[in-house]
Amino acid sequence: VGGVGSGGGGGSSACTSAAMEAPSPSLPLERALGARLAGVPASQAYQGSQLARLLQPCIEGEQPCVFILCARLDDAYVSTLASTLRLPSLLTQLRQQQRLSSSFDTAPQPTA
């Protein structure tokens, strides 16, 4: 009596608690993007995130980047989904910052 299905959810409560306790996999990437926005050089900013190092050419504007969010909308995953919503915002801010700095670099400098 008592076996696998005796928790009322067939093990789903264990999955729910594991999903809620697991750290967001996007957190190191968010930290790297935040560091770049703060002016930290790419070589230092991406050290703590393998995903950021992999995406560095896209993040730095050297290659095209498309952000696609594919998620399960089950209640157990809402917190994970919410935590990843910050990534598109950070990527947009960084891209705008890069465009501004490149437009200043290419603008003609006044002569005295």
Side-chain angles (χ1 to χ4, degrees), residues 39-91:
V40 175
S43 60
Q44 294 174 3
Y46 300 138
Q47 284 181 353
S49 171
Q50 291 179 348
L51 183 56
R53 284 194 304 266
L54 176 68
L55 296 175
Q56 182 175 353
C58 299
I59 295 169
E60 295 299 317
E62 298 165 8
Q63 293 180 355
C65 182
V66 176
F67 188 84
I68 298 173
L69 180 62
C70 206
R72 289 180 61 170
L73 297 177
D74 298 340
D75 287 342
Y77 300 99
V78 169
S79 63
T80 302
L81 176 61
S83 70
T84 60
L85 292 178
R86 188 162 181 248
L87 286 174
S89 174
L90 288 170
L91 288 167

Side-chain angles (χ1 to χ4, degrees), residues 37 57-65 90-100:
L37 282 168
C58 299
I59 295 169
E60 295 299 317
E62 298 165 8
Q63 293 180 355
C65 182
L90 288 170
L91 288 167
T92 301
Q93 290 175 36
L94 187 59
R95 185 58 49 122
Q96 289 171 344
Q97 188 180 66
Q98 290 168 342
R99 284 186 185 140
L100 282 174

Side-chain angles (χ1 to χ4, degrees), residues 108-112:
Q109 299 296 322
T111 57

